[in-house]
């Protein structure tokens, strides 16, 4: 497929800002990006899609209203597959109960584990697909989806089969991750870690059900040494690794992530300047999860200091039913502007280019030659207007590999 896209008032690549821009797409990838008036001769005969709409307000000559364009949003940390909800827990926390106390009493993650076990694969798929459609409407073109609410081997494999089906049927790209979340009730810690490393990880690697392994290394979850064992087992089977790090307590997980070459260390509410230096030196992405920090009333990660220390900072929704029932990447970016002190341009980079690096991809989250042609058309001449409008996200359309998402017919 060959196509030239025009009618762009403002384009963020995301690192460059172009006015009156255009780009050419072939076989799902960008092959040229630049000023509309500088379109090379070789592309001028290609079919064109004019992204401009018509408006009764201020418009370009001829009644055209040029629109803003940004790269497809990448969400590199979600728990999209789960049964039930935790509204009751949410209300308890609003009345002052802590996340840690609820978890220790058998609620929290364990509550979702029980609801997920009761749901069939078909039910879990339908629920997750509906959530993914909401993310698509927000411009999310690629997303990571974790297991972790199964805990037991077959239940984890059930979740991963649902995630694989999502990847086969959704318009978005889906990156499956096996998550070591917590030790199941009734299991000895040593036996569970041994099972996870010697049985579950090899089976997942053999079957191709996940690309990466994540570990929740924190108070009430896995210790630093247990985390190391699980991640080293993952690496030995050719899987990528990432960590839930420094969310509730400071455990040293961030430095472990840097040492082992993890794709990312996520959360970082309790991280320190020493942790940031380790991330910057290793190239491991530091992913902040604004929804969880705000909802659980934890310290907001110092995104500004991390960025200035050389960390490749990413933003993700951490969508889950307990600590971050967040559906909007734009709200996550807005919170990071206000509380994490990034600029609007930096926040966009964090949820596109840097988020893609947290998935191990350099060809996503960018509008440049060779990248996948995923982009969001903003219903405004200003590409960053969605970051200005809190609670009202002006999205005109979403394209994946150069095709309008609603026309892909996969949902």
């Amino acid at each position: 497929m060959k196509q030239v896209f025009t009618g762009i008032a403002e384009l963020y690549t995301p690192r460059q800002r172009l006015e009156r821009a255009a780009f050419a797409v072939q076989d799902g990838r960008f092959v040229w990006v630049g000023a509309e008036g500088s379109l090379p001769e070789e592309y001028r005969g290609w079919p064109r899609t004019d992204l401009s709409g018509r408006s009764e307000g201020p418009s370009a000559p001829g009644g055209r209203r040029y629109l803003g364009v940004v790269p497809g949003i990448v969400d590199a940390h979600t728990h999209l597959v789960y049964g039930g909800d935790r509204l009751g827990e949410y209300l308890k926390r609003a009345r002052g109960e802590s996340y840690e106390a609820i978890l220790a009493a058998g609620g929290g993650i364990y509550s979702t584990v029980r609801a997920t076990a009761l749901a069939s694969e078909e039910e879990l798929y339908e629920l997750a697909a509906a959530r993914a459609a909401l993310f698509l409407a927000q411009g999310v073109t690629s997303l990571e989806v974790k297991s972790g609410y199964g805990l037991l081997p077959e239940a984890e494999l059930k979740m991963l089969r649902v995630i694989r089906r999502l990847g086969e049927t959704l318009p978005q790209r889906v990156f499956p991750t096996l998550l070591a979340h917590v030790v199941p009730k009734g299991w000895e810690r040593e036996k569970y870690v041994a099972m996870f490393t010697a049985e579950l990880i090899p089976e997942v690697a053999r079957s191709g059900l996940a690309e990466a392994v994540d570990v929740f290394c924190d108070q009430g979850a896995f210790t630093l040494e247990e985390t190391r064992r699980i991640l080293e087992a993952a690496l030995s089977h050719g899987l990528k690794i990432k960590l839930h790090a420094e969310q509730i307590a400071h455990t040293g997980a961030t430095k472990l992530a840097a040492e082992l070459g993890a794709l990312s260390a996520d959360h970082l509410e309790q991280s320190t300047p020493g942790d940031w230096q380790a991330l910057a030196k290793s190239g491991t992405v530091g992913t902040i999860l604004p929804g969880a920090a705000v909802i659980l009333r934890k310290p907001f990660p110092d995104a500004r200091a991390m960025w200035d220390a050389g960390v490749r900072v990413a933003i993700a929704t951490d969508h889950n039913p307990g600590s971050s029932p967040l559906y909007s990447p734009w709200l996550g970016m807005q919170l990071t502007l206000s509380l994490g002190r990034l600029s609007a341009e930096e926040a966009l980079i964090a949820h596109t280019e840097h988020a893609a690096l947290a998935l191990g991809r350099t060809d996503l989250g960018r509008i440049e030659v060779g990248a996948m042609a995923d982009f969001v058309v903003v219903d405004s001449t200003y590409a960053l207007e969605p970051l200005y409008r809190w609670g009202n996200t002006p999205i005109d359309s979403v394209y994946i590999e150069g095709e309008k998402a609603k026309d892909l017919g996969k949902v």
Side-chain angles (χ1 to χ4, degrees):
M1 187 274 288
K2 298 179 178 180
Q3 197 81 11
V4 171
F5 293 86
T6 60
I8 303 169
E10 186 178 50
L11 168 68
Y12 279 84
T13 66
R15 289 188 177 270
Q16 286 184 294
R17 176 185 175 273
L18 304 176
E19 294 183 349
R20 292 296 297 272
F23 44 75
V25 174
Q26 182 174 6
D27 298 329
R29 292 183 181 269
F30 296 109
V31 294
W32 178 84
V33 180
E36 185 175 330
S38 301
L39 182 69
E41 182 66 35
E42 62 185 291
Y43 304 119
R44 292 182 184 175
W46 286 17
R48 293 199 181 197
T49 296
D50 186 350
L51 297 174
S52 67
R54 296 193 176 275
S55 172
E56 296 178 359
S59 60
R64 298 171 67 194
R65 182 172 69 106
Y66 291 87
L67 300 178
V69 171
V70 298
I73 304 300
V74 178
D75 197 342
H77 186 129
T78 84
H79 305 256
L80 207 65
V81 176
Y82 57 85
D85 63 57
R86 276 150 63 187
L87 174 60
E89 172 187 323
Y90 181 85
L91 298 177
K92 286 181 180 180
R93 289 203 311 271
R95 292 191 291 266
E97 293 190 40
S98 72
Y99 176 85
E100 298 89 331
I102 292 170
L103 179 65
I109 292 166
Y110 296 110
S111 174
T112 299
V113 168
R114 292 189 291 272
T116 302
L118 292 173
S120 68
E121 288 191 31
E122 182 65 27
E123 289 169 330
L124 292 174
Y125 170 80
E126 294 293 341
L127 290 168
R131 295 173 191 130
L134 296 174
F135 278 90
L136 181 63
Q138 296 277 322
V140 175
T141 55
S142 298
L143 67 165
E144 184 242 30
V145 183
K146 304 179 191 293
S147 67
Y149 290 128
L151 303 188
L152 302 178
E154 182 50 43
E156 285 294 304
L157 294 173
K158 178 176 83 168
M159 288 190 70
L160 289 171
R161 288 193 295 270
V162 171
I163 297 169
R164 177 169 62 186
R165 185 179 171 192
L166 292 171
E168 294 169 347
T169 57
L170 295 182
Q172 297 112 310
R173 282 178 205 82
V174 174
F175 293 79
T177 295
L178 170 65
L179 171 62
H181 215 167
V182 292
V183 177
K185 296 293 186 182
W187 277 70
E188 295 180 14
R189 302 187 66 87
E190 172 59 31
K191 288 184 178 179
Y192 186 73
V193 172
M195 179 281 297
F196 208 97
T197 56
E199 300 176 26
L200 189 53
I201 287 176
E203 173 58 22
V204 167
R206 183 197 64 77
S207 60
L209 283 173
E211 299 178 4
V213 172
D214 189 353
V215 182
F216 183 18
C217 180
D218 217 322
Q219 176 183 314
F222 291 94
T223 67
L224 190 65
E225 183 53 39
E226 290 166 343
T227 298
R228 178 184 290 276
R229 287 177 57 190
I230 294 169
L231 295 180
E232 288 180 344
L235 289 170
S236 73
H237 285 86
L239 296 169
K240 300 169 186 176
I241 59 171
K242 49 179 56 184
L243 286 86
H244 284 57
E246 330 300 1
Q247 180 188 13
I248 299 169
H250 188 273
T251 63
T254 303
K255 289 184 177 179
L256 178 62
E259 175 194 337
L260 296 180
L263 289 174
S264 66
D266 302 11
H267 277 294
L268 306 178
E269 287 92 326
Q270 314 292 341
S271 62
T272 66
D275 296 325
W276 308 337
Q277 292 167 10
L279 292 177
K281 184 177 180 179
S282 69
T284 294
V285 174
T287 303
I288 64 174
L289 309 174
V294 170
I295 290 171
L296 295 184
R297 300 171 181 168
K298 300 298 182 183
F300 199 91
D302 195 341
R304 173 80 273 140
M306 283 189 253
W307 191 288
D308 291 345
V311 179
R312 297 189 293 188
V313 176
I315 302 171
T317 65
D318 188 22
H319 176 85
N320 73 78
S323 61
S324 186
L326 178 63
Y327 286 89
S328 173
W330 300 97
L331 179 55
M333 287 185 268
Q334 288 162 330
L335 289 171
T336 307
L337 297 185
S338 293
L339 303 176
R341 298 179 295 127
L342 291 189
S343 70
E345 294 84 356
E346 290 167 340
L348 181 64
I349 292 169
H351 227 316
T352 54
E353 180 184 321
H354 285 178
L357 295 177
L359 297 176
R361 294 289 292 266
T362 59
D363 62 343
L364 299 176
R366 311 178 192 212
I367 298 178
E368 63 182 32
V369 174
M372 303 304 298
D374 301 350
F375 57 94
V376 180
V377 183
V378 176
D379 189 17
S380 169
T381 56
Y382 303 104
L384 297 184
E385 184 148 339
L387 289 175
Y388 170 64
R389 294 199 206 173
W390 287 59
N392 175 21
T393 308
I395 302 296
D396 177 85
S397 51
V398 180
Y399 287 76
I400 298 176
E401 295 185 21
E403 294 189 49
K404 203 170 186 178
K406 72 177 183 180
D407 296 332
L408 293 179
K410 293 183 180 178
V411 174

